[in-house]
Amino acid sequence: VIVEVAKLAGVSPSTASRVLSNSTYRVSAETRARVLEAAKSLDFVPNALARGLHESHLPVVGVLVHDLADPYFAEIARGVEDAACASGHLVVVASSDRIIEREISYARLLRSMRAEAIVFAGSGTDDETYTHETRRHANAVEAYGGAVVHLSPHARGKADIGYDNHGPMIELVAALAGLGHRRIAYLAGPANLFVARQRLAGFQDGIAAAGLEHDERLIVEADLTAAAGADGIDRLLARDTGASAVVCVNDLAAFGALRRAAELGLRVPRDISIAGFDDISVAAQMAPSLTTIRVPLHELGARAFERVVKVLAGQRPRRVTLPTEVVLRGSTGRHRG
Amino acid sequence: VIVEVAKLAGVSPSTASRVLSNSTYRVSAETRARVLEAAKSLDFVPNALARGLHESHLPVVGVLVHDLADPYFAEIARGVEDAACASGHLVVVASSDRIIEREISYARLLRSMRAEAIVFAGSGTDDETYTHETRRHANAVEAYGGAVVHLSPHARGKADIGYDNHGPMIELVAALAGLGHRRIAYLAGPANLFVARQRLAGFQDGIAAAGLEHDERLIVEADLTAAAGADGIDRLLARDTGASAVVCVNDLAAFGALRRAAELGLRVPRDISIAGFDDISVAAQMAPSLTTIRVPLHELGARAFERVVKVLAGQRPRRVTLPTEVVLRGSTGRHRG
DNA sequence: CTGAAAGCGCTTACAG
DNA sequence: CTGAAAGCGCTTACAG
């Protein structure tokens, strides 16, 4: 209804558009003032669909995650949002639950509404259909001028904005070894996720680097949830491995491990040390507070959006690796023979 | 580029549109098949902006929250998403940090892109500008046929889909009194939030109902974060009130209280009982697990979307109040004189 | 059952 | 500095 504004201001729609959009055309100060006033009095809010149809993209960035209710992803999404809001971009969040069809369908939806960018926040998997379909939509997004950003390793390459899943794990194991632990167990994530594989490899390399004995029984398959962590502790204990420390694939699993240990009457870290990965914000609130590897999640999201801006501006930004840090807290302690 | 599809299929754009959109027009089976095949071979994905421009709304629902990184809101947003994805709706999440301007700006943005619905998930406040501007945009959304849903009490009424913030608090206090606690403290939320006020009133009514002595010193001003909860414990202890139990305005504050208590060498619940409100999913993972009031957050979100669907269908659904439940867990125990 | 035409609300070359 | 016109990609009465 910009025509109404134009009519009220006594100018043509073209002129009204020129002052109401952030075009660089020059309009006389007097005319501009009249249009602005008319717009205000009519409570005019431009139709983003009409504008988007013309420019063939909407000021929206889609963030594809595994589960928005998982703090790991919520913190990343929040980072994207904080960076995006300054330029009037909205962020749509889409949880796939790692269901391939759901993620593909979301990518398609984002493409259909010409989102300016699509950020793949969750770890990629090997699945061929997933890789192919997902890439098809991503290509289409790029074709209409949108940006595609990966925050995790995926089938077609490394993360655009990422962090090291391997190195810090070696450091963490070294720290535990330094505390006297010789039998360190690992609650692993789903083997089809690149991130889980890298973390596991980091753990194993850490064991080797620390000169500890490799023992398959110390590796327990789990998942990225608290329930899986609790269950993992049960299975580990049933194996009677003599583990004095447990490293978990992520914080959520570590929370479950912590809880289950407490339920079983094990004191942490006196009887057993437990560590996580990610440093989601509640990790520091646990009692004892969780030793973990700090990943700058909020920044990861914010940087993703910065990359989007650059890509849309025609630049070809370089890949970025954000620093991580081993944070030793109350859930790990010296091994007591 | 539906014209390309039409051309390839040898039909008019009108016909192509009729088979590609979910219109009810009848098209001969043979023609339909040819169009579908052409669409597939061209990887045709309809432009949602063009479609939306025509129908004057986009299949998007906006969820306005205080902070997406707060699990309370992340779980609600996830609920909205799960209900919305079935019908091909995308959800945009917008965190205001309770900054009025930011929330207003998000409401405007959602309006500008003709979101089908806007869900106010966070508690409303008294602020006049906030109420007025927010209502103005909400009215505009309704004017173009969109729906507006409130999940919390606000300046203009009760929640459309809500839960009781008052009654369960009385129950919780009664439960603590039943455990022998006479001196029960409360870490309160910001007084300008309706929800915080209702919870506080519930607490106070609970104290009266249990026949306990009213003592202003037992009420500590805090906020809805873990940091505020930890700080609240410090201030409570400094007052030397002899409190043996602490009820917190929400789980996050309770997490901080739990942590601070542990840091100070207080054993929970032996030395002090601590309870929260919300039952966000990590609450059950704390050690000890947190006593709290269960709010069906995911369902709250899902129901919000169901309401949206009804409103868009022209119905005038009734207000819904979801059930809550006091969940007694490990962080509260019998008072030890 | 199918097509030509108008319209959704903007923006931007193209002329003045 | 300003206006008339065309176009973005669809959908839907309106005619056949």
Side-chain angles (χ1 to χ4, degrees):
Chain A
V1 299
I2 200 176
V3 302
E4 313 247 322
V5 174
K7 195 180 301 173
L8 180 60
V11 300
S12 71
S14 327
T15 299
S17 169
R18 284 192 270 257
V19 1
L20 264 13
S21 63
N22 14 1
S23 80
T24 57
Y25 284 75
R26 50 196 57 182
V27 178
S28 78
E30 198 250 343
T31 306
R32 172 179 300 273
R34 248 183 316 137
V35 172
L36 253 19
E37 198 196 300
K40 176 152 197 183
S41 81
L42 292 176
D43 186 24
F44 172 75
V45 171
N47 185 322
L49 302 181
R51 188 175 280 180
L53 179 57
H54 192 273
E55 306 181 345
S56 90
H57 53 75
L58 249 201
V60 156
V61 16
V63 182
L64 258 32
V65 304
H66 290 168
D67 177 13
L68 178 58
D70 177 338
Y72 175 89
F73 291 112
E75 290 178 28
I76 288 176
R78 188 60 159 85
V80 175
E81 200 202 319
D82 284 343
C85 89
S87 52
H89 284 71
L90 248 20
V91 1
V92 353
V93 178
S95 306
S96 68
D97 276 335
R98 275 146 50 191
I99 294 170
I100 290 171
E101 296 73 28
R102 190 157 162 173
E103 182 147 346
I104 293 171
S105 141
Y106 273 132
R108 192 191 129 101
L109 238 30
L110 255 3
R111 169 187 173 189
S112 83
M113 59 182 56
R114 303 297 187 263
E116 272 185 20
I118 150 164
V119 176
F120 289 88
S123 175
T125 77
D126 285 330
D127 190 273
E128 263 193 45
T129 307
Y130 169 80
T131 304
H132 181 262
E133 293 294 288
T134 240
R135 191 61 226 171
R136 187 161 60 84
H137 293 307
N139 284 339
V141 168
E142 287 175 334
Y144 65 66
V148 175
V149 179
H150 286 271
L151 300 186
S152 288
H154 53 111
R156 316 228 328 169
K158 298 184 184 174
D160 299 305
I161 312 287
Y163 57 88
D164 187 5
N165 282 290
H166 185 269
M169 209 43 130
I170 297 180
E171 272 181 69
L172 176 59
V173 172
L176 291 172
L179 287 169
H181 296 281
R182 310 274 94 185
R183 301 286 290 169
I184 305 177
Y186 185 72
L187 301 195
N192 66 328
L193 295 184
F194 289 109
V195 165
R197 291 212 292 258
Q198 293 183 348
R199 291 183 181 185
L200 172 59
F203 173 79
Q204 290 172 319
D205 290 350
I207 291 294
L212 302 181
E213 192 190 350
H214 170 80
D215 182 350
E216 270 307 325
R217 290 159 58 239
L218 286 169
I219 310 285
V220 178
E221 275 186 39
D223 199 343
L224 308 170
T225 64
D231 185 59
I233 288 295
D234 286 339
R235 284 183 294 136
L236 173 65
L237 261 26
R239 291 185 193 176
D240 199 20
T241 58
S244 64
V246 183
V247 172
C248 304
V249 63
N250 72 345
D251 286 352
L252 245 29
F255 291 173
L258 231 34
R259 172 174 58 79
R260 194 74 187 104
E263 288 168 0
L264 296 172
L266 294 172
R267 287 156 303 177
V268 178
R270 189 189 177 86
D271 299 326
I272 191 164
S273 283
I274 293 178
F277 198 129
D278 293 340
D279 198 23
I280 57 179
S281 69
V282 269
Q285 306 302 326
M286 303 304 282
S289 58
L290 186 70
T291 284
T292 186
I293 290 161
R294 157 143 243 285
V295 177
L297 299 169
H298 187 280
E299 185 181 357
L300 205 59
R303 294 287 203 107
F305 186 76
E306 287 171 22
R307 184 181 176 91
V308 166
V309 171
K310 287 180 186 159
V311 171
L312 294 184
Q315 296 176 236
R316 292 277 279 118
R318 310 201 317 167
R319 190 181 296 138
V320 174
T321 300
L322 263 26
T324 54
E325 180 190 1
V326 172
V327 184
L328 261 20
R329 288 198 280 239
S331 68
T332 51
R334 181 152 284 288
H335 174 51
R336 312 202 171 208
Chain B
V1 300
I2 200 177
V3 302
E4 312 248 321
V5 175
K7 196 178 302 173
L8 181 60
V11 300
S12 70
S14 327
T15 299
S17 168
R18 284 193 269 258
V19 1
L20 263 13
S21 62
N22 15 2
S23 81
T24 57
Y25 284 75
R26 50 196 57 181
V27 177
S28 78
E30 199 250 342
T31 307
R32 172 180 301 274
R34 248 183 315 138
V35 173
L36 253 17
E37 198 195 300
K40 175 151 196 182
S41 82
L42 291 176
D43 187 24
F44 171 75
V45 171
N47 184 323
L49 302 181
R51 189 175 279 178
L53 178 59
H54 192 272
E55 306 181 345
S56 89
H57 54 74
L58 248 203
V60 156
V61 15
V63 182
L64 257 32
V65 303
H66 291 169
D67 178 13
L68 179 58
D70 177 339
Y72 175 90
F73 292 112
E75 290 179 28
I76 288 177
R78 187 61 158 85
V80 175
E81 199 202 320
D82 284 342
C85 88
S87 52
H89 283 73
L90 247 22
V91 1
V92 352
V93 178
S95 307
S96 68
D97 276 335
R98 274 146 50 193
I99 293 171
I100 290 171
E101 296 71 29
R102 189 157 162 174
E103 182 148 346
I104 293 171
S105 139
Y106 273 132
R108 192 190 128 100
L109 238 30
L110 255 3
R111 169 186 172 189
S112 83
M113 59 181 55
R114 303 299 187 261
E116 273 186 19
I118 150 167
V119 176
F120 289 88
S123 175
T125 77
D126 286 330
D127 190 274
E128 263 193 44
T129 308
Y130 169 80
T131 304
H132 181 261
E133 293 294 288
T134 240
R135 191 61 226 170
R136 188 160 60 84
H137 292 308
N139 285 338
V141 168
E142 287 176 333
Y144 65 66
V148 175
V149 179
H150 286 271
L151 300 186
S152 288
H154 53 111
R156 316 227 329 170
K158 298 183 184 176
D160 298 307
I161 311 286
Y163 58 88
D164 188 5
N165 282 290
H166 185 269
M169 209 43 129
I170 297 180
E171 272 182 69
L172 176 58
V173 172
L176 291 172
L179 288 169
H181 296 281
R182 309 276 93 186
R183 301 285 291 168
I184 306 176
Y186 185 71
L187 300 195
N192 67 329
L193 294 184
F194 289 109
V195 166
R197 290 213 292 258
Q198 293 182 349
R199 290 183 182 186
L200 172 59
F203 173 78
Q204 290 173 319
D205 291 350
I207 291 293
L212 303 180
E213 192 191 350
H214 170 80
D215 182 350
E216 270 307 325
R217 290 160 57 238
L218 287 168
I219 311 286
V220 177
E221 276 185 37
D223 200 342
L224 308 171
T225 64
D231 185 60
I233 288 295
D234 286 338
R235 284 184 293 135
L236 174 65
L237 262 25
R239 290 184 193 176
D240 200 20
T241 57
S244 65
V246 183
V247 172
C248 303
V249 63
N250 72 345
D251 286 352
L252 245 29
F255 291 173
L258 231 34
R259 172 175 57 79
R260 194 75 187 104
E263 287 168 1
L264 296 172
L266 295 172
R267 287 156 303 177
V268 178
R270 188 188 178 88
D271 299 325
I272 192 165
S273 283
I274 293 178
F277 198 128
D278 293 341
D279 199 22
I280 56 180
S281 68
V282 268
Q285 305 301 327
M286 302 306 281
S289 58
L290 186 69
T291 285
T292 187
I293 291 162
R294 158 144 242 284
V295 177
L297 299 169
H298 187 280
E299 186 182 356
L300 205 59
R303 294 288 202 106
F305 187 77
E306 287 172 21
R307 184 182 176 92
V308 166
V309 171
K310 287 181 187 161
V311 170
L312 294 184
Q315 297 176 238
R316 292 277 279 118
R318 309 202 318 167
R319 188 182 296 137
V320 174
T321 299
L322 262 27
T324 54
E325 180 190 1
V326 172
V327 185
L328 260 21
R329 289 198 279 239
S331 68
T332 51
R334 182 151 284 288
H335 174 52
R336 313 202 168 207

